[in-house]
């Protein structure tokens, strides 16, 4: 866990860990000015079976100390005594148990269903930024990314190894209660994403996140009726998408989500031809995407992105 001025949320998070059967927690704690440390001490007094270590770290600030730095400090040294590490934010809490899945298995890491209170519940489209939350300590994983950090093997774009999305257990994120809070968090995180682009220029995930954030900034400019700024951001978003669509399509529903973000920017610029396409697969699943295309190749690659895995699955099933 990493913590800084989280007196209002860290107690609920710790209580949820206690219910899962976790007995050791290591917290990388920045120089809080509120009662965060007192809340931790009170929890320890009420839950003496829990072992909590607090490691002092610098304040997380864009350009000097990133979320990856703090997260790596939070797992430092745990490989000596533990086989698995779960990482969680202080404005999250976990419901349900994943312990049965930690018995001997072949996985390097495991993901857990995440629910943001202002987003769709389980069953919605695959999340783009869903990192592995349970990681083995003997795989030499380190967190990469000054913001939206992920545990990866071998550095940036290394991935979490052979990973599995658990059918049980859920993480609930309470940090985005409404649009005003979301915008405040966005403006806080933007300098970190710009920093991450500078220090990790080849990070694939950041390619998608930058497209998304360009469109968010474009929306804010439109809300403020700053149309020249909105046009400038829209042009940058379209250019970024055209240059990095291969990386953007790598993540979950990044192909359709990236296309839709780019289409929103094209609409502002008055570009593109409207398309809407629904593909119904043999098992009854339907995949729909719509937006604005500037070249037929865009539609071709979207259809291939949907169909290639299904065709490959069918070929394997028939032994071909």
């Amino acid at each position: 866990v990493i913590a800084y001025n989280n007196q209002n949320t860290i107690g609920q998070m710790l209580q949820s860990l206690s219910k899962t059967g976790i007995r050791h927690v290591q917290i990388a704690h920045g120089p809080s000015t509120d009662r965060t440390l007192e809340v931790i001490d009170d929890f320890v007094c009420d839950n003496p079976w829990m072992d909590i270590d607090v490691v002092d770290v610098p304040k997380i600030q864009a350009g000097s100390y990133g979320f990856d730095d703090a997260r790596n400090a939070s797992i430092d040294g745990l490989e000596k005594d533990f086989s698995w590490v779960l990482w969680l934010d202080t404005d999250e809490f976990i419901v349900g148990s994943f312990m049965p899945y930690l018995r001997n298995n072949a996985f390097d890491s495991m993901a857990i269903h995440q629910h943001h209170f202002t987003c769709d519940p389980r069953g919605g489209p695959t999340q783009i930024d869903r990192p592995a939350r349970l990681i083995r300590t003997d795989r030499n994983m380190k967190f990469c990314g000054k913001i939206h950090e992920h545990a990866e093997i071998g550095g940036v774009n290394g991935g979490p190894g052979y990973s599995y999305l658990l059918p049980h257990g859920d993480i609930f994120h309470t940090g985005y209660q409404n649009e005003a809070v979301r915008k405040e968090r966005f403006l806080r995180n933007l300098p970190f994403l710009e920093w991450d682009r500078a220090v990790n220029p080849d990070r694939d995930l950041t390619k998608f996140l930058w497209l998304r954030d360009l469109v968010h900034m474009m929306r804010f400019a439109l809300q403020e009726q700053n149309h020249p700024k909105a046009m400038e951001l829209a042009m940058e978003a379209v250019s970024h998408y055209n240059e990095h669509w291969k990386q953007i399509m790598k993540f979950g529903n990044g192909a359709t989500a990236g296309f839709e973000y780019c289409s929103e920017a094209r609409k502002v610029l008055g570009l593109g031809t409207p398309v809407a396409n629904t593909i119904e697969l043999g098992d009854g699943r339907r995949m729909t995407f719509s937006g604005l295309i500037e070249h037929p190749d865009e539609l071709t690659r979207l259809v291939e992105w949907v169909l290639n895995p299904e065709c490959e699955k069918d070929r394997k099933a028939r032994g071909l």
Side-chain angles (χ1 to χ4, degrees):
V1 177
I2 58 177
Y4 170 73
N5 283 350
N6 302 121
Q7 64 179 22
N8 295 325
T9 57
I10 195 169
Q12 182 182 32
M13 183 273 298
L14 290 172
Q15 288 289 353
S16 76
L17 295 183
S18 177
K19 292 176 182 178
T20 67
I22 288 174
R23 293 292 177 262
H24 183 88
V25 182
Q26 184 158 290
I27 301 173
H29 175 255
S32 292
T33 56
D34 67 356
R35 297 184 60 256
T36 296
L37 287 175
E38 294 176 47
V39 173
I40 296 171
D41 289 342
D42 289 344
F43 177 83
V44 171
C45 290
D46 295 338
N47 300 269
W49 57 88
M50 294 278 283
D51 178 23
I52 297 185
D53 288 337
V54 176
V55 180
D56 290 329
V57 297
K59 180 181 178 180
I60 296 175
Q61 297 184 93
S64 61
Y65 197 73
F67 284 89
D68 55 349
D69 300 311
R71 195 72 69 183
N72 283 322
S74 75
I75 66 171
D76 187 41
L78 295 180
E79 68 277 2
K80 295 181 295 185
D81 302 305
F82 302 97
S83 300
W84 289 90
V85 169
L86 165 75
W87 64 276
L88 212 62
D89 283 327
T90 55
D91 56 0
E92 298 175 327
F93 62 93
I94 192 163
V95 175
S97 178
F98 50 79
M99 290 299 184
Y101 298 94
L102 301 187
R103 290 175 293 185
N104 290 341
N105 60 64
F107 297 110
D108 300 305
S109 62
M110 299 182 187
I112 301 175
H113 284 282
Q114 300 174 192
H115 311 279
H116 291 256
F117 279 9
T118 54
C119 294
D120 291 332
R122 180 190 287 187
T126 304
Q127 294 161 314
I128 304 297
D129 185 23
R130 176 157 55 192
R133 292 300 193 116
L134 283 158
I135 60 175
R136 285 193 186 273
T137 56
D138 63 352
R139 300 301 194 266
N140 195 31
M141 290 197 195
K142 295 295 181 183
F143 286 93
C144 302
K146 297 304 176 185
I147 187 76
H148 304 292
E149 69 281 8
H150 284 221
E152 305 197 52
I153 299 174
V156 171
N157 298 331
Y162 186 35
S163 195
Y164 177 60
L165 176 60
L166 295 181
H168 301 101
D170 298 86
I171 293 173
F172 293 89
H173 187 195
T174 63
Y176 296 89
Q177 296 90 342
N178 59 29
E179 185 58 27
V181 174
R182 180 190 289 272
K183 185 174 181 180
E184 181 182 339
R185 287 290 190 93
F186 172 85
L187 295 174
R188 181 205 71 174
N189 291 345
L190 185 60
F192 286 94
L193 190 60
E194 292 173 327
W195 182 26
D196 195 46
R197 293 184 72 217
V199 299
N200 296 312
D202 297 324
R203 189 184 185 206
D204 290 336
L205 177 59
T206 303
K207 299 291 193 298
F208 174 85
L209 296 174
W210 186 243
L211 171 66
R212 181 198 66 180
D213 285 4
L214 285 170
V215 174
H216 281 323
M217 289 187 285
M218 180 192 75
R219 292 170 181 168
F220 298 151
L222 289 172
Q223 290 170 4
E224 297 163 0
Q225 297 188 350
N226 187 345
H227 297 288
K229 184 64 176 178
M231 295 281 284
E232 177 185 335
L233 290 164
M235 285 189 287
E236 185 176 351
V238 171
S239 175
H240 179 80
Y241 177 79
N242 289 338
E243 182 178 357
H244 299 294
W245 63 267
K246 289 182 180 179
Q247 292 89 352
I248 289 168
M249 290 177 74
K250 288 183 177 181
F251 297 94
N253 65 331
T256 52
F259 174 62
E260 288 164 3
Y261 279 130
C262 182
S263 295
E264 189 174 342
R266 285 172 175 163
K267 184 176 181 180
V268 171
L269 298 171
L271 299 174
T273 301
V275 296
N277 196 22
T278 298
I279 299 175
E280 186 165 344
L281 302 172
D283 57 5
R285 285 183 296 140
R286 295 166 63 90
M287 296 186 179
T288 301
F289 51 87
S290 61
L292 299 168
I293 66 169
E294 292 187 82
H295 193 280
D297 287 350
E298 294 180 54
L299 186 58
T300 300
R301 69 196 186 210
L302 282 168
V303 172
E304 288 180 341
W305 175 82
V306 173
L307 292 183
N308 277 344
E310 300 301 319
C311 293
E312 180 66 23
K313 188 189 305 180
D314 179 64
R315 285 193 293 268
K316 287 183 178 180
R318 292 185 287 128
L320 299 177

